[in-house]
């Protein structure tokens, strides 16, 4: 991905939110889901976004992932203002640069695992043979090769979420966004899925942004950003920085 300006210093953050706000409705019915949130996430970080239900976690994640547009503020992806990207370029970012692992799976139940996993590549315009090869490779790496032709509806919860991870990995993303990734899983299966996500961060350097209300999961991340009523009330990275410069 190209940047706005040539750059000799350290690489720009993988993701930046600058003064992000999001409101729903208008007038007396206006609701501020997110207010003036600024945040930088470096490439390779593993960040938990935590807070009570309704605090704006999913809203922030959707904005960072350019799945939704802010009411105010901007999102920068590897230094590039998302607003400067064409629809086609945004499509490519969402399908190749980013991977998504959401609580509700969002698998097409009647399609095969293989078809589900190739979907982002299909959208990104990758040729059939290449996307099939890539999907089989990823499914193999997650021990799901034998499920490639099974309909998604026949899978267990854990197999579904592993298929979702395979789909997230199909485009070889630099960032994975996970929204309550273990919320629909029993604790043992959830632990396996968590381990897979952390391994991707550790071993492949994939930036991980995990929305969770699970304190244990959050504590395993490098950094915890806490939201309340649509605002950041604490950020462990900022606390560390403050400590270092005191
Ligand atoms: P969280 O993920 O922390 O539970 P959300 O980001 O989903 O919170 O939502 C934050 C607030 O914004 C909630 O009060 C929610 O009801 C509201 N909200 C989210 N999406 C919409 C929408 N499309 N229309 C109106 N209100 C919404
Ligand atoms: Mg949410």
């Amino acid at each position: 991905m190209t940047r706005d300006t040539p750059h000799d210093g350290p690489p720009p953050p993988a993701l930046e939110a600058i003064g992000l706000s999001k409101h729903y409705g208008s007038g007396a019915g206006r609701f501020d889901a997110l207010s003036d949130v600024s945040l930088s996430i470096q490439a390779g970080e593993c960040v938990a976004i935590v807070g009570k239900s309704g605090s704006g976690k999913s809203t922030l994640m959707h904005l960072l992932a350019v799945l939704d547009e802010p009411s105010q503020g901007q999102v920068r992806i590897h230094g590039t203002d998302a607003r400067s990207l064409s629809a086609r370029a945004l499509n490519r970012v969402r399908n190749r640069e980013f991977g998504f692992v959401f609580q509700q799976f969002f698998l097409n139940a009647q399609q095969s695992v293989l078809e589900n996993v190739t979907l982002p590549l299909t959208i990104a315009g990758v040729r059939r043979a290449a996307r099939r090869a890539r999907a089989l490779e990823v499914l193999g790496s997650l021990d799901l090769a034998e499920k490639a032709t099974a309909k998604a509806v026949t899978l267990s919860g854990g197999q579904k979420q592993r298929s979702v991870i395979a789909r997230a990995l199909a485009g070889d993303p630099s960032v994975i966004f996970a929204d309550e990734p273990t919320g629909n899983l029993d604790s043992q299966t959830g632990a396996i899925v968590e381990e897979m996500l952390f391994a991707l961060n550790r071993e492949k350097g994939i930036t991980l942004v995990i929305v969770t209300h699970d304190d244990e999961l959050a504590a395993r991340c490098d950094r915890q950003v806490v939201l309340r009523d649509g605002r950041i009330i604490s950020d462990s990275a900022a606390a560390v920085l403050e400590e270092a410069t005191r």
Side-chain angles (χ1 to χ4, degrees):
M1 155 166 257
T2 56
R3 297 173 193 158
D4 288 351
T5 48
H7 209 289
D8 289 325
L15 297 168
E16 269 175 295
I18 304 170
L20 277 191
S21 297
K22 178 75 182 179
H23 51 252
Y24 296 106
S26 58
R30 172 172 150 161
F31 180 79
D32 295 307
L34 212 62
S35 305
D36 194 24
V37 163
S38 296
L39 175 74
S40 287
I41 297 176
Q42 305 302 323
E45 266 196 295
C46 171
V47 183
I49 298 176
V50 298
K52 291 196 183 123
S53 177
S55 58
K57 304 183 295 296
S58 297
T59 301
L60 175 58
M61 171 169 285
H62 290 155
L63 294 177
L64 287 172
V66 291
L67 294 171
D68 198 1
E69 287 184 8
S71 308
Q72 262 128 46
Q74 63 165 293
V75 170
R76 299 178 77 85
I77 303 159
H78 299 300
T80 298
D81 186 345
R83 292 172 303 192
S84 73
L85 297 174
S86 65
R88 190 188 159 94
L90 281 175
N91 211 9
R92 188 182 161 81
V93 167
R94 287 189 210 101
N95 289 291
R96 302 301 305 264
E97 201 75 31
F98 295 165
F100 299 97
V101 180
F102 289 168
Q103 176 176 3
Q104 308 85 340
F105 310 133
F106 296 122
L107 290 169
N108 186 324
Q110 295 307 320
Q111 283 190 342
S112 71
V113 169
L114 189 69
E115 287 169 306
N116 274 285
V117 171
T118 52
L119 182 67
L121 299 180
T122 307
I123 297 171
V126 176
R127 285 172 186 276
R128 188 182 152 87
R131 50 181 205 250
R132 195 184 148 84
R134 173 65 185 159
L136 288 173
E137 179 190 343
V138 174
L139 285 169
S141 74
L142 297 181
D143 224 13
L144 277 170
E146 78 283 7
K147 289 292 175 191
T149 56
K151 276 189 183 182
V153 68
T154 66
L155 302 180
S156 69
Q159 289 166 341
K160 279 185 186 145
Q161 199 59 311
R162 277 157 56 210
S163 301
V164 170
I165 293 176
R167 182 180 59 193
L169 287 175
D172 198 15
S174 63
V175 182
I176 289 183
F177 293 97
D179 194 344
E180 307 281 7
T182 57
N184 276 332
L185 305 176
D186 63 75
S187 57
Q188 204 181 346
T189 312
I192 293 169
V193 165
E194 278 176 26
E195 209 34 66
M196 277 182 174
L197 291 172
F198 286 127
L200 292 170
N201 172 252
R202 224 171 30 236
E203 289 158 22
K204 298 180 123 198
I206 295 178
T207 308
L208 209 51
V209 182
I210 304 184
V211 161
T212 183
H213 61 254
D214 176 345
D215 290 340
E216 272 178 52
L217 174 55
R220 294 188 61 201
C221 295
D222 303 331
R223 173 177 172 194
Q224 294 77 30
V225 174
V226 185
L227 289 180
R228 185 195 287 160
D229 299 333
R231 294 178 185 274
I232 293 180
I233 57 162
S234 95
D235 180 341
S236 62
V240 168
L241 198 64
E242 230 168 76
E243 190 91 350
T245 55
R246 192 170 288 162

